[in-house]
Amino acid sequence: MMIFGNVLAVELEDDLEAHVRRYLAFRFAGHAVMELRSHNEIWTARLGSAESGDVEVKVRANLIEDDLCLAFDILELSA
C-alpha cells in the first residue's frame, strides 16, 4: 500500500470498501472504523477513539490513472 497525500495506490483484488477502510486507517490513525456506509460515491464513516472520542467523516473516492489509484477528498469532518 502506498499513500501520497490523499492518493492511494490500489490493489486490484480488493473492493472499494477495503480501499476506503485502508485510507481511513492511515489518515485517522488511532481511530477505529465503527460504521461505514456509501451513498452516491460518498462514504460516511463513524470513527471511534478512546483518546479523542468519536468523529464522523464524509469522503469521496475517485478512481484515477486507469483505475490504479484512488484520490480521496474529505468533504466533511465533525466531532
Side-chain angles (χ1 to χ4, degrees), residues 18 21 41 50 52-53 55 59 64-65 67 72:
R21 286 182 179 276
E41 300 180 12
S52 56
V55 172
V59 297
I64 57 174
E65 295 185 22
D67 300 340
F72 289 89

Side-chain angles (χ1 to χ4, degrees), residues 12-78:
L12 299 177
E13 65 274 1
D14 290 343
D15 63 0
L16 188 55
E17 182 176 336
H19 297 306
V20 171
R21 286 182 179 276
R22 205 169 9 263
Y23 172 75
L24 291 170
F26 172 80
R27 181 66 175 85
F28 298 95
H31 288 79
V33 177
M34 308 296 285
E35 180 182 345
L36 182 63
R37 59 191 183 279
S38 173
H39 181 69
N40 294 336
E41 300 180 12
I42 306 291
W43 292 83
T44 302
R46 187 171 57 88
L47 309 174
S49 170
E51 294 177 6
S52 56
D54 289 354
V55 172
E56 185 170 291
V57 62
K58 290 185 180 184
V59 297
R60 178 178 38 227
N62 298 309
L63 286 169
I64 57 174
E65 295 185 22
D66 297 327
D67 300 340
L68 297 177
C69 295
L70 283 170
F72 289 89
D73 298 314
I74 296 176
L75 305 174
E76 188 177 317
L77 180 64
S78 59

Side-chain angles (χ1 to χ4, degrees), residues 3-7 23 26-27:
I3 296 179
F4 299 101
N6 286 335
V7 176
Y23 172 75
F26 172 80
R27 181 66 175 85

